[in-house]
Amino acid sequence: MIGLLGIVANVINLIVFYRHGLNSSINISLFVMAISDVFTIIFVLGANLCFNPYIGQWPVPVIFAEVYYITGGWPSGVSYRITLYITVYITAERCLCILFPLKVKTMVTPIRSKFVIALIVIFNTLTLVPEYSSIYMDWRYDSTRNESVLGVAFRSNRLQTQGVTFLLHVCLVVIGLFCVTTLTSILVSNLRRQTKWRMKSSSDAKQQAAYSSRDRKSQLMVIVVATSVVICYIPLTCVSLVSVFEPQFSI
């Protein structure tokens, strides 16, 4: 139910961003992020279905967990990494707005944003090449079920590629989280500096209070978003890290 609500919410976001017009960098970034989130939720819903214990009792010659590993496991990792790096890009853009307020419009244009986001999508997708070059779906005989089942099969280069995609995944997520944390710290620091400058330059007490309240809300929003991203990404990052050093932990 939560996943379905997430899909509905992201579809609403897509409609809103589209109607506002994809002529600004932030709208483009949020639009693509919403698409990525929709795919992530769909893949997670697929995991809930394939790893349901009742599914294994169906008289179907399919190992659903292995099929999901190929069709949804890694694609979900790519989609949420795309979301992470779009978050990095948005945070970097916000930093540029604070550091170079008069030049940011020429530095971050819609065309450049589309190019950067396209690079994010393509690069993260290419990290799947090592894994998918050594695995595929095929029929094999299962002695416990005494029948042929559809599951994961391995090519001869499996030993050479095993763990490579996990390692790339961990490195990219750690780098992304580090960038989000660093850029958020820079953003909050500069927002505080601007708040102090505004407070000193304004003699009106009401205006000072308005500046202070608005800036506190901005700082709080940035901190909450960055903290949420870091907390949500840590568990899967730890799982992927273990999979790199412990082959028995992966498929």
Side-chain angles (χ1 to χ4, degrees):
M1 180 60 70
I2 295 177
L4 294 177
L5 290 176
I7 292 176
V8 172
N10 278 288
V11 170
I12 293 174
N13 288 336
L14 289 172
I15 295 172
V16 171
F17 294 138
Y18 183 78
R19 288 185 175 179
H20 280 185
L22 302 178
N23 50 10
S24 67
S25 175
I26 188 65
N27 280 2
I28 294 170
S29 300
L30 293 175
F31 184 82
V32 178
M33 181 184 289
I35 295 175
S36 178
D37 286 341
V38 168
F39 278 105
T40 301
I41 295 171
I42 291 174
F43 291 134
V44 171
L45 290 176
N48 293 336
L49 177 64
C50 291
F51 288 99
N52 190 310
Y54 294 104
I55 293 293
Q57 300 176 7
W58 287 6
V60 180
V62 176
I63 302 179
F64 289 97
E66 294 186 7
V67 171
Y68 175 78
Y69 180 83
I70 294 180
T71 60
W74 279 115
S76 67
V78 169
S79 60
Y80 86 72
R81 272 206 321 267
I82 290 172
T83 297
L84 172 62
Y85 274 89
I86 293 177
T87 304
V88 172
Y89 180 69
I90 292 174
T91 311
E93 182 187 353
R94 295 300 93 187
C95 284
L96 291 176
C97 289
I98 298 296
L99 297 174
F100 308 102
L102 300 179
K103 298 181 180 180
V104 67
K105 290 295 184 181
T106 58
M107 296 171 64
V108 183
T109 63
I111 294 178
R112 289 177 180 174
S113 293
K114 292 177 182 178
F115 178 74
V116 170
I117 292 174
L119 284 180
I120 290 173
V121 174
I122 293 171
F123 179 77
N124 279 282
T125 303
L126 288 177
T127 60
L128 298 183
V129 171
E131 188 71 13
Y132 281 98
S133 66
S134 62
I135 62 173
Y136 62 99
M137 282 194 299
D138 198 6
W139 294 92
R140 70 171 187 269
Y141 178 72
D142 187 349
S143 58
T144 59
R145 302 171 64 169
N146 194 28
E147 63 178 349
S148 295
V149 295
L150 182 65
V152 173
F154 302 100
R155 294 189 172 91
S156 59
N157 64 335
R158 178 59 178 173
L159 291 178
Q160 288 76 28
T161 62
Q162 187 174 12
V164 174
T165 300
F166 277 110
L167 182 60
L168 289 172
H169 176 72
V170 171
C171 291
L172 288 173
V173 172
V174 170
I175 292 171
L177 293 177
F178 175 78
C179 291
V180 169
T181 305
T182 303
L183 292 170
T184 301
S185 300
I186 295 172
L187 184 58
V188 171
S189 175
N190 281 276
L191 284 173
R192 288 178 177 174
R193 189 179 298 115
Q194 281 195 356
T195 300
K196 292 180 181 179
W197 177 81
R198 287 172 178 172
M199 297 289 285
K200 290 180 180 179
S201 61
S202 177
S203 58
D204 189 349
K206 292 184 178 179
Q207 192 173 17
Q208 287 182 357
Y211 280 144
S212 179
S213 176
R214 184 176 60 189
D215 290 336
R216 277 199 303 269
K217 290 179 180 179
S218 299
Q219 294 172 19
L220 181 61
M221 182 190 69
V222 172
I223 293 172
V224 168
V225 170
T227 304
S228 300
V229 168
V230 172
I231 292 175
C232 291
Y233 278 64
I234 285 177
L236 286 177
T237 304
C238 294
V239 171
S240 298
L241 185 61
V242 173
S243 301
V244 172
F245 299 102
E246 181 51 57
Q248 297 299 323
F249 195 74
S250 61
I251 190 169

